[in-house]
């Protein structure tokens, strides 16, 4: 008996949990509208859990903080860092696109990585919407240089090109590039349970670095996919606290913790502590439901995801675009057009910004009654190679119709970009209050200036010499 117990102990392989409630969960369910003020009171409690990491920055949080919440994203990060004394902080980074929607010059990418780590980020999850490794190099090298953890995400998708060989080759290349770990980024919830067994088994054989899995509940299979992935040897899974779990978000943290309890994969996390954290977020969720910020539709299972391979966020984008055009009756036509456009554009994965580009083009194709009669600038840029190389060649006829004889880029797109930090520094000098402001401006020039003006209006200059500190009243 003692031998059996000893064997079981040796086989212990606790699975790590990355908590997404402070980033992806509220990005997926309430359009990234949770404020720093709403999050800070629970940070101390979350810090006691023993998470592998807490994802709290990057993705759309940067844009939404400035644009809708009138908050400085850098200030949010510093406050998180001050509160999370024992937990690694993680962010999502769009390769050469950083957190914006266009490729930036290397000097901006390097400076952004440096400042993210200096302000408190430990793990940078870096992905590219085309899975073009050339678009990841600069960010990975910069993270290595700053002694941060560079995690490269493989944007998971389906299609003829995406075989097990494709994924294992990409994983090996990423490991050789200097990544500290790999993440299977299943943004649309397309990875089915038994496919997860195959994929994870193959990746764990191919590389020596840890492998993490990120998925969304949109198609309804995510919890089962996690179960099979953990059994196959995945090291870490992404989950969200139950009030902001399921639907277009991730499986619930507490459910996954309970699932692996008493098994070799036991997370060791305390359900009582998790319950207190869930209690804190529940009223925030209820308020979002009452105000209409949380659409109950986003909480259900949408099997169309598997049929059309469209991520949850993209579905809601398509709905609103069609509403604006008074063409809601064309929803299914657009859904059927999406895979066709994707195939024309080299069968690229659908993730920001490629999902928006393919989706918008599909809407135009259906509404105009002729395919590619009206072509967006971004579609032209994809077909001209400005976003990088795709797994499959472009549809030559479509390419010709959209961009004629324009020169096609075959090198790494960022090689054609001049350094831009100096120019950006000059442009925004009058607004600068901290080094990080130039990066905010680089990503969203117009939104940044609006925010800087707002920030200036809020700041009252205090004369400390005549400050009445006792009554807390300051002459301005």
């Amino acid at each position: 008996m003692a031998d059996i117990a000893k064997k079981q102990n040796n086989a212990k392989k606790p699975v790590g949990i990355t908590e997404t409630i402070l980033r992806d969960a509220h990005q997926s369910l309430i359009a990234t509208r949770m404020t720093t003020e709403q999050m800070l009171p629970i940070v101390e409690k979350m810090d006691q859990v023993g998470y592998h990491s807490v994802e709290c920055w990057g993705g759309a949080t940067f844009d939404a903080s400035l644009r809708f919440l009138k908050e400085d994203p850098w200030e949010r990060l510093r406050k998180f860092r001050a509160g999370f004394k024992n937990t690694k902080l993680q962010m999502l980074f769009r390769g050469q696109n950083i957190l914006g929607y266009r490729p930036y010059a290397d000097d901006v990418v390097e400076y952004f990585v440096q400042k993210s780590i200096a302000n408190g980020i430990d793990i940078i999850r870096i992905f590219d919407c085309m899975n073009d490794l050339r678009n990841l190099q600069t960010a990975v090298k910069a993270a290595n240089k700053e002694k941060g953890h560079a995690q490269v995400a493989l944007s998971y998708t389906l299609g003829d090109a995406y075989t097990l060989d494709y994924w294992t080759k990409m994983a090996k290349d990423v490991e050789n590039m200097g990544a500290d770990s790999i993440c299977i980024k299943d943004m649309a919830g397309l990875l089915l349970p038994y496919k997860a067994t195959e994929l994870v088994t193959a990746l764990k054989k191919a590389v020596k670095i840890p492998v993490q899995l990120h998925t969304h509940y949109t198609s309804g299979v995510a919890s089962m996919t996690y179960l099979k992935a953990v059994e196959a040897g995945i090291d870490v899974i992404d989950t969200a606290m139950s009030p902001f779990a399921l639907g277009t978000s991730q499986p619930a943290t507490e459910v996954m913790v309970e699932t692996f309890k008493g098994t070799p994969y036991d997370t060791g996390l305390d359900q009582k502590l998790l319950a207190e954290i869930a209690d804190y977020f529940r009223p925030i969720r209820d308020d979002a439901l009452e105000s209409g910020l949380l659409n109950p539709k986003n909480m259900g299972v949408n099997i169309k995801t598997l049929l059309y391979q469209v991520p949850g966020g993209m579905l809601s984008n398509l709905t609103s675009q069609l509403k604006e055009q008074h063409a809601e009756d064309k929803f299914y036509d657009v859904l059927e057009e999406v895979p066709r456009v994707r195939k024309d554009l080299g069968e690229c994965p659908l993730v920001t910004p490629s999902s928006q580009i393919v989706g918008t083009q599909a809407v135009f194709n259906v509404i105009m009654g002729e395919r590619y009669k009206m072509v967006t600038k971004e579609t032209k840029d994809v077909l001209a190679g400005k976003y990088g190389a795709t797994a499959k060649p472009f549809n030559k006829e479509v390419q010709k119709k959209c961009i004629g004889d324009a020169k096609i880029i075959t090198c790494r797109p960022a090689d054609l970009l001049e350094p831009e930090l100096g120019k950006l520094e000059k442009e925004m000098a009058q607004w600068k209050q901290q080094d990080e402001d130039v990066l905010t401006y680089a990503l969203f020039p117009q939104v940044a200036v609006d925010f800087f003006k707002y920030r200036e209006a809020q700041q009252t200059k205090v004369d400390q010499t005549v400050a009445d500190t006792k009554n807390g009243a300051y002459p301005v």
Side-chain angles (χ1 to χ4, degrees):
M1 281 303 281
D3 282 349
I4 294 170
K6 198 172 167 194
K7 257 187 197 161
Q8 280 176 333
N9 271 345
N10 288 346
K12 268 194 178 168
K13 192 184 180 299
V15 64
I17 299 279
T18 290
E19 176 58 63
T20 67
I21 191 150
L22 301 185
R23 205 284 299 178
D24 200 10
H26 74 103
Q27 180 175 317
S28 298
L29 291 177
I30 58 167
T32 333
R33 293 298 200 278
M34 217 186 278
T35 64
T36 305
E37 208 173 279
Q38 286 176 308
M39 303 184 219
L40 286 179
I42 197 64
V43 161
E44 197 183 326
K45 198 147 268 178
M46 287 178 73
D47 193 35
Q48 298 163 22
V49 172
Y51 289 119
H52 167 77
S53 64
V54 168
E55 193 202 33
C56 62
W57 211 61
T61 60
F62 202 93
D63 187 355
S65 294
L66 295 163
R67 197 185 297 263
F68 304 114
L69 307 176
K70 293 286 178 268
E71 288 185 7
D72 181 1
W74 298 101
E75 194 52 37
R76 173 184 290 191
L77 175 54
R78 290 190 281 265
K79 285 175 175 170
F80 280 152
R81 185 67 283 168
F84 281 109
K85 294 182 170 48
N86 314 298
T87 310
K88 287 195 164 121
L89 299 184
Q90 183 165 328
M91 74 171 290
L92 182 66
F93 194 98
R94 299 180 190 135
Q96 211 68 31
N97 299 338
I98 312 181
L99 305 176
Y101 306 102
R102 71 168 176 91
Y104 295 87
D106 287 340
D107 60 343
V108 181
V109 176
E110 286 159 3
Y111 195 41
F112 203 100
V113 169
Q114 186 194 330
K115 283 296 180 190
S116 301
I117 291 170
N119 281 280
I121 288 295
D122 300 291
I123 302 169
I124 302 190
R125 178 179 291 171
I126 307 158
F127 76 96
D128 175 62
C129 70
M130 299 290 172
N131 279 335
D132 185 341
L133 299 187
R134 299 172 305 171
N135 293 336
L136 303 167
Q137 279 166 351
T138 304
V140 170
K141 271 189 194 143
N144 292 158
K145 188 183 166 200
E146 300 300 322
K147 305 280 184 282
H149 178 112
Q151 179 178 83
V152 169
L154 321 181
S155 300
Y156 182 78
T157 188
L158 304 173
D160 300 340
Y162 302 100
T163 59
L164 271 185
D165 285 347
Y166 171 92
W167 297 118
T168 51
K169 184 187 180 311
M170 191 177 169
K172 283 176 188 160
D173 291 346
V174 158
E175 185 176 37
N176 294 334
M177 188 194 282
D180 298 296
S181 64
I182 285 171
C183 174
I184 304 162
K185 179 176 165 59
D186 178 23
M187 52 280 169
L190 299 175
L191 183 59
L192 298 170
Y194 288 102
K195 286 286 174 207
T197 304
E198 269 176 35
L199 180 58
V200 173
T201 306
L203 291 182
K204 291 296 289 179
K205 265 191 200 144
V207 297
K208 293 186 174 66
I209 53 178
V211 183
Q212 181 159 356
L213 177 55
H214 168 94
T215 187
H216 289 254
Y217 211 89
T218 325
S219 61
V221 300
S223 296
M224 295 182 280
T225 297
Y226 275 172
L227 179 63
K228 299 309 282 181
V230 168
E231 288 174 353
I234 205 88
D235 298 282
V236 188
I237 53 175
D238 286 16
T239 64
M241 288 303 303
S242 57
F244 282 90
L246 309 184
T248 48
S249 176
Q250 279 77 45
T253 305
E254 306 95 309
V255 173
M256 297 321 297
V257 166
E258 199 59 26
T259 300
F260 298 118
K261 206 172 172 181
T263 73
Y265 316 109
D266 197 328
T267 62
L269 305 191
D270 177 1
Q271 286 286 21
K272 282 202 182 78
L273 189 53
L274 293 175
E276 287 176 45
I277 296 166
D279 287 344
Y280 177 82
F281 283 107
R282 207 164 283 114
I284 298 176
R285 192 259 328 262
D286 294 345
D287 287 350
L289 265 170
E290 266 173 47
S291 68
L293 190 55
L294 175 52
N295 183 338
K297 274 186 187 165
N298 291 348
M299 301 303 290
V301 164
N302 196 330
I303 201 65
K304 289 191 208 78
T305 304
L306 291 177
L307 299 177
Y308 303 109
Q309 297 167 31
V310 176
M314 188 175 164
L315 279 172
S316 46
N317 259 356
L318 293 180
T319 318
S320 62
Q321 281 182 348
L322 288 170
K323 204 173 185 177
E324 276 170 29
Q325 305 287 336
H326 307 293
E328 287 153 288
D329 57 322
K330 299 273 196 285
F331 183 65
Y332 286 101
D333 297 337
V334 171
L335 273 188
E336 282 170 17
E337 178 63 5
V338 165
R340 291 195 284 265
V341 173
R342 179 178 169 237
K343 205 154 192 159
D344 293 339
L345 302 192
E347 211 164 57
C348 55
L350 296 179
V351 62
T352 307
S354 57
S355 51
Q356 287 88 330
I357 296 169
V358 170
T360 305
Q361 191 57 55
V363 168
F364 280 141
N365 285 3
V366 168
I367 287 175
M368 301 304 290
E370 182 193 322
R371 303 186 77 228
Y372 304 104
K373 182 178 182 179
M374 188 171 170
V375 186
T376 67
K377 176 191 175 293
E378 290 76 11
T379 299
K380 288 177 183 174
D381 286 349
V382 169
L383 291 167
K386 286 186 186 173
Y387 282 86
T390 48
K392 280 289 191 70
F394 298 129
N395 178 329
K396 285 277 178 263
E397 283 168 31
V398 168
Q399 194 177 28
K400 182 91 176 140
K401 182 171 182 177
C402 295
I403 60 169
D405 296 319
K407 193 172 183 294
I408 310 296
I409 295 168
T410 52
C411 64
R412 181 182 77 111
D415 287 342
L416 303 172
L417 300 174
E418 293 290 322
E420 31 183 347
L421 262 181
K423 180 172 144 288
L424 294 163
E425 284 273 10
K426 278 196 193 102
E427 280 176 21
M428 56 77 63
Q430 71 177 106
W431 305 109
K432 188 171 172 179
Q433 290 187 13
Q434 55 177 354
D435 289 346
E436 291 79 2
D437 286 345
V438 69
L439 292 165
T440 303
Y441 176 80
L443 262 49
F444 306 107
Q446 190 51 58
V447 175
V449 168
D450 291 346
F451 170 74
F452 296 150
K453 285 177 182 168
Y454 168 83
R455 179 175 69 181
E456 208 160 79
Q458 298 302 304
Q459 287 165 341
T460 47
K461 302 285 182 276
V462 172
D463 180 356
Q464 294 292 350
T465 53
V466 291
D468 175 2
T469 44
K470 201 169 83 184
N471 298 317
Y474 294 90
V476 173

